[in-house]
Amino acid sequence: MIFNAFIDLIEKKGFDNITIQDIADKAMINRSTFYAHFKDKQDVYEQIFSFILNPLFKKLEQDILEDGSIIQKQKLVELLTTAFLMIKENKKFYLIATEGRNNLILTDAFSDFLRNHYTKIFAKLRIEEDDIVMPTDFIISYMISTFMGTIHWWLHSDFKLPPEHMAHLIIKLLHNGNLTVLGVKVKK
């Protein structure tokens, strides 16, 4: 209830203009109940990211690689479709999370997830161009910024394309660039 109230209030008033009393009133609780769970509104702000992102990351944790470098296209479509459905279900959160400084928090969360979960892929990675080794952090940053831009567009287009269609578009973009560079093959 507190998270929902908080998101609604941010959408209407902005973070800086929200008070603890506003949150308590909107969530229909008293201030002492609020303080039993959170230190302040910044604490709510930080915890809400974990609360909403953890289920998404749990879905994305599935091991989709076969033989170390092959992805079944249908598995990837299902995984990304689920991710887009979860983003759609939490539209208010993602609209707020993809704006301004919030975008940095969300970007960092996705970057950390990729680094931690797909270390095997990135550990094998060595891309050189004219004797310059491309840093792994750069590649991750590029992939995340592409994904974040896609999410931002999709949210602001009011879900112009259905989740499964978005999944296919992402795969097409990734397959033609990022996955090929990483040495990952998409198998039909």
Side-chain angles (χ1 to χ4, degrees):
M1 292 184 326
I2 293 171
F3 286 155
N4 288 334
F6 186 74
I7 289 172
D8 286 346
L9 288 166
I10 284 181
E11 188 178 36
K12 290 176 187 154
K13 297 175 82 169
F15 179 82
D16 293 332
N17 298 320
I18 298 171
T19 66
I20 301 303
Q21 191 61 55
D22 291 336
I23 298 168
D25 290 346
K26 182 83 173 166
M28 296 186 286
I29 59 170
N30 59 40
R31 288 172 59 98
S32 62
T33 302
F34 175 89
Y35 286 114
H37 298 284
F38 303 99
K39 292 184 288 190
D40 53 23
K41 68 181 182 179
Q42 184 65 39
D43 190 24
V44 177
Y45 181 75
E46 291 167 7
Q47 287 189 40
I48 201 165
F49 274 85
S50 295
F51 179 76
I52 292 180
L53 290 177
N54 283 342
L56 176 61
F57 289 158
K58 275 279 188 231
K59 289 286 184 188
L60 296 176
E61 279 179 354
Q62 296 176 29
D63 191 10
I64 57 173
L65 286 179
E66 297 173 5
D67 299 325
S69 65
I70 299 172
I71 296 176
Q72 290 290 334
K73 184 176 181 180
Q74 191 51 41
K75 262 185 161 177
L76 191 54
V77 167
E78 289 168 11
L79 185 69
L80 288 171
T81 299
T82 299
F84 279 107
L85 284 168
M86 293 176 83
I87 290 166
K88 187 175 182 178
E89 288 170 11
N90 292 293
K91 178 183 180 180
K92 285 183 181 180
F93 166 78
Y94 284 100
L95 279 169
I96 292 165
T98 57
E99 295 295 332
R101 69 177 184 220
N102 300 334
N103 192 30
L104 294 175
I105 296 169
L106 191 59
T107 299
D108 286 346
F110 274 106
S111 295
D112 290 345
F113 172 78
L114 275 183
R115 254 185 229 97
N116 294 332
H117 189 70
Y118 293 104
T119 52
K120 288 179 190 172
I121 293 173
F122 293 117
K124 293 189 291 184
L125 185 63
R126 182 168 171 86
I127 302 167
E128 287 186 50
E129 181 68 32
D130 297 326
D131 296 329
I132 299 172
V133 176
M134 197 173 299
T136 302
D137 285 348
F138 171 76
I139 296 166
I140 292 171
S141 178
Y142 176 79
M143 291 173 69
I144 294 298
S145 64
T146 301
F147 188 64
M148 295 299 292
T150 302
I151 292 171
H152 186 266
W153 173 84
W154 191 56
L155 290 164
H156 287 279
S157 77
D158 203 25
F159 311 115
K160 186 176 182 177
L161 302 172
E164 189 170 345
H165 194 99
M166 291 301 297
H168 284 282
L169 288 176
I170 289 287
I171 292 167
K172 188 171 210 111
L173 288 172
L174 288 175
H175 185 254
N176 289 336
N178 302 358
L179 294 177
T180 304
V181 167
L182 293 172
V184 174
K185 295 176 182 86
V186 177
K187 192 167 110 180
K188 294 186 181 202

